[in-house]
Amino acid sequence: MKLRAPQIRIGFLRPTSVRGQLTLQYTAIFSVTLVLAAAALYGLLTWIIYWNIDNELQNEADYVKQYIQFTPQGQPELAARNAGPDGSANLNALFRIAQISDSHGRLVKQSPELKGLGFSLQPSELQRILAKRATFTTHGWPREEEIRFANAILRGPNNQPYLLQIGTRLKPINDALETFLWVMLMLLPVTVAVSGVAGSVMAQRTLRPVAEVTHAAQLITASNLSQRIPASGRGDELEELAETFNAMIARLQASFQQMNDFAANVSHELRTPLQAIQGETELALMSRVPLAECRRVLESNLEEIDRLNRMIRNLLVLAQADAGEVQPRLEAMDLNELVRDLTEQMQVVAQARGVELRAVTSAPVPLKADSLRLRQMVLNLMDNALKYTPSGGRIEVRVERHGAQARVQVRDSGIGIAEEDLPRIFERFYRADKSRARGLADGCGLGLPMVKWVAELHHGQVEVTSTLGAGSSFTVSLPMEAA
Ligand SMILES: Nc1ncnc2c1ncn2[C@@H]1O[C@H](COP(=O)(O)OP(=O)(O)OP(=O)(O)O)[C@@H](O)[C@H]1O
Ligand SMILES: [Mg+2]
């Protein structure tokens, strides 16, 4: 099935959606950064301009100061002639916006332009300048009338202080700064809007794979688990997400498949013995069947019922194991003892089948394990060896220590297992070459899954080697400090 293109809503942004949140955050961060940057730029620009103006005014005041002379009456005069013809013009130009006040705040000299502006310095302002020795001051209101002054102290004939002020009008600078501010303010909403749209598009692009995952997840149903998210090839986190999702679906698919197989297997395994019981019972109920025959039927039915019982018990244990509900009941035990005991027990069966069964045990192999389950495990392996070894064969059950591991090996000279069957014999209900196996013995394919589960319950493992026609060897390794 082909994957439809994911539906991504481009319309109204929901603030609760990830895309909406990303866009909002992006826009907010961008706007705040922009405002801060604009404010910093405005501040820096103002500072640089004022620094330049002040520098220049200072130079001018220093220059003009040299040419101020006092008349015998104590009046300050601009001795422009001392500066030569060029210097004189220059000096007069510098004294364009300038004034000199005495220490009482009386204006003793003022340039015509300053007079024209109607500017006068309050005595309190003068006192403040003199007291603070302020080098630069700004006077005037409103802003268009503002004048920046460089203040310099002159000494009169009797050493009394005079204040020389050389100034410049701030209007052109204030106008330029104001224009800058307006441009910034007008650009702000535009840039915020652009960044909002860009953020939204970026978020949408980034989240497209998420939308694909969502869409794929919507398409997946129990009957359509083959659906996968196509690989983007970008190798980013979202592709990782898609891969994880695909892996999860693959696992789900595998377990659904297992469940289906399991149900089919269980019904098959239940049907065969039930049909046998039904057939035999119907036969026995027919009139004129001798009592001895009825008894035989009942015995045979009992065998089938016993087999069914065993199978259901095993299934129940495996189901509990799957649910992780089974905890091993650990106790100190000796593996040698367990194996010797079981071999003795099975000797009758082995003899009946004409098979030689022997145990090879060595020094004690102490183990902390669930002895009932271990017993079941070894019994299952021995049961298999007996079932699949024809008369005249040999079975050896060996216990040994291997480093920190205890090992039980059940080796037989039986029919062996084909190579293609080996990887599957631990699957539930799997039986290699069923017809042949049936010919030899009845089973339902739950023995080895049980062996594997018990080994794993004790943090151990099972290995198998087998040659078709020559025999098999099953080895269970368990850590001595199991569980
Ligand atoms: N020792 C063995 N020699 C040859 N084949 C074996 C041996 N042990 C297991 N097998 C093969 O592996 C299959 C699975 O074994 P398993 O013990 O799970 O099932 P079973 O013996 O058929 O039935 P159950 O144990 O439930 O009565 C067997 O059907 C058989 O084909
Ligand atoms: Mg078995």
Side-chain angles (χ1 to χ4, degrees):
M1 189 183 194
K2 213 172 164 341
L3 195 68
R4 241 188 324 130
Q7 303 284 305
I8 299 170
R9 262 169 276 165
I10 301 183
F12 184 66
L13 268 184
R14 281 177 302 134
T16 46
S17 70
V18 175
R19 189 181 149 206
Q21 283 175 21
L22 280 178
T23 309
L24 278 179
Q25 285 169 12
Y26 177 78
T27 314
I29 292 172
F30 191 78
S31 311
V32 170
T33 315
L34 192 71
V35 168
L36 288 179
L41 198 63
Y42 181 77
L44 187 71
L45 207 61
T46 311
W47 186 83
I48 291 173
I49 290 173
Y50 272 76
W51 188 79
N52 274 326
I53 290 174
D54 288 352
N55 250 353
E56 207 152 304
L57 283 175
Q58 175 84 67
N59 289 340
E60 289 171 11
D62 287 347
Y63 182 72
V64 172
K65 194 177 160 183
Q66 298 168 38
Y67 295 98
I68 303 284
Q69 285 182 351
F70 287 86
T71 60
Q73 291 78 33
Q75 272 298 312
E77 286 270 327
L78 191 62
R81 59 190 171 283
N82 294 352
D86 285 352
S88 155
N90 191 18
L91 209 56
N92 281 321
L94 290 181
F95 207 77
R96 214 166 48 89
I97 297 178
Q99 65 178 20
I100 300 172
S101 321
D102 69 10
S103 57
H104 305 292
R106 274 191 304 266
L107 207 56
V108 288
K109 190 168 182 62
Q110 193 172 38
S111 66
E113 191 170 336
L114 205 52
K115 199 177 283 174
L117 285 171
F119 180 80
S120 64
L121 192 66
Q122 299 297 318
S124 58
E125 280 179 292
L126 177 103
Q127 289 310 324
R128 223 182 31 246
I129 293 169
L130 287 177
K132 282 189 176 173
R133 295 196 168 276
T135 332
F136 304 101
T137 42
T138 304
H139 302 270
W141 187 257
R143 271 169 74 84
E144 292 88 68
E145 301 299 329
E146 271 184 350
I147 299 172
R148 181 79 169 161
F149 281 114
N151 305 315
I153 308 287
L154 300 172
R155 291 289 158 190
N158 299 322
N159 206 27
Q160 70 272 39
Y162 287 84
L163 179 68
L164 164 70
Q165 291 183 294
I166 302 283
T168 184
R169 297 181 69 179
L170 289 178
K171 187 176 182 328
I173 286 138
N174 284 343
D175 284 353
L177 284 173
E178 205 162 297
T179 310
F180 173 81
L181 205 61
W182 275 112
V183 170
M184 281 289 176
L185 282 177
M186 281 185 320
L187 276 180
L188 193 70
V190 178
T191 32
V192 167
V194 170
S195 75
V197 174
S200 165
V201 171
M202 268 164 56
Q204 181 197 341
R205 276 181 168 205
T206 315
L207 292 174
R208 192 183 294 273
V210 176
E212 285 172 4
V213 174
T214 312
H215 182 66
Q218 281 162 353
L219 290 183
I220 289 165
T221 58
S223 55
N224 180 25
L225 283 169
S226 54
Q227 187 70 66
R228 294 289 180 278
I229 303 165
S232 68
R234 283 185 300 264
D236 55 9
E237 290 91 335
L238 289 170
E239 183 162 28
E240 216 173 287
L241 170 73
E243 277 169 10
T244 311
F245 186 81
N246 281 344
M248 187 189 83
I249 298 302
R251 285 198 298 274
L252 268 181
Q253 191 179 16
S255 35
F256 266 85
Q257 186 61 45
Q258 252 177 19
M259 267 164 61
N260 284 344
D261 292 353
F262 183 77
N265 283 325
V266 171
S267 20
H268 176 80
E269 292 297 334
L270 287 177
R271 208 178 53 198
T272 317
L274 281 177
Q275 270 174 350
I277 292 171
Q278 188 182 16
E280 296 238 310
T281 313
E282 277 169 1
L283 202 74
L285 283 178
M286 278 158 79
S287 49
R288 288 195 306 274
V289 173
L291 204 64
E293 178 61 10
C294 280
R295 205 182 156 78
R296 193 203 56 79
V297 166
L298 281 179
E299 274 168 8
S300 145
N301 280 0
L302 196 66
E303 247 174 58
E304 291 291 352
I305 289 168
D306 186 49
R307 204 169 84 83
L308 280 173
N309 241 332
R310 240 186 324 130
M311 181 178 113
I312 287 167
R313 233 185 3 250
N314 285 344
L315 272 179
L316 215 70
V317 173
L318 287 173
Q320 281 171 343
D322 284 347
E325 286 170 4
V326 186
Q327 288 296 326
R329 276 200 218 137
L330 298 181
E331 54 186 318
M333 54 165 292
D334 181 15
L335 204 52
N336 279 315
E337 216 176 284
L338 184 140
V339 165
R340 268 197 298 266
D341 200 26
L342 279 179
T343 327
E344 233 165 74
Q345 218 177 305
M346 297 300 278
Q347 215 52 260
V348 191
V349 187
Q351 273 163 19
R353 296 197 179 193
V355 175
E356 185 194 331
L357 170 66
R358 68 187 196 109
V360 182
T361 51
S362 55
V365 180
L367 205 61
K368 249 187 138 188
D370 188 327
S371 61
L372 266 180
R373 295 206 191 280
L374 275 199
R375 212 179 161 80
Q376 187 62 51
M377 180 185 85
V378 179
L379 197 64
N380 281 5
L381 289 175
M382 285 167 86
D383 180 56
N384 279 354
L386 282 165
K387 270 201 293 195
Y388 303 113
T389 305
S391 160
R394 295 181 61 223
I395 299 171
E396 191 179 273
V397 188
R398 183 182 286 271
V399 181
E400 59 190 11
R401 244 173 118 146
H402 202 269
Q405 283 191 326
R407 281 189 182 169
V408 190
Q409 189 182 57
V410 181
R411 197 163 56 191
D412 64 57
S413 62
I415 58 168
I417 305 162
E419 207 165 311
E420 65 269 22
D421 290 323
L422 270 181
R424 301 200 58 192
I425 54 171
F426 290 97
E427 285 174 22
R428 284 170 203 184
F429 297 111
Y430 187 80
R431 281 142 94 199
D433 199 344
K434 290 190 180 190
S435 49
R436 190 158 49 107
R438 270 223 180 274
L440 283 169
D442 268 346
C444 57
L446 289 176
L448 285 180
M450 198 74 154
V451 169
K452 183 167 178 268
W453 171 66
V454 176
E456 282 168 3
L457 189 70
H458 290 83
H459 304 290
Q461 64 199 50
V462 199
E463 280 162 296
V464 54
T465 53
S466 185
T467 314
L468 202 58
S472 319
S473 166
F474 287 82
T475 311
V476 182
S477 311
L478 303 170
M480 305 271 281
E481 277 304 311

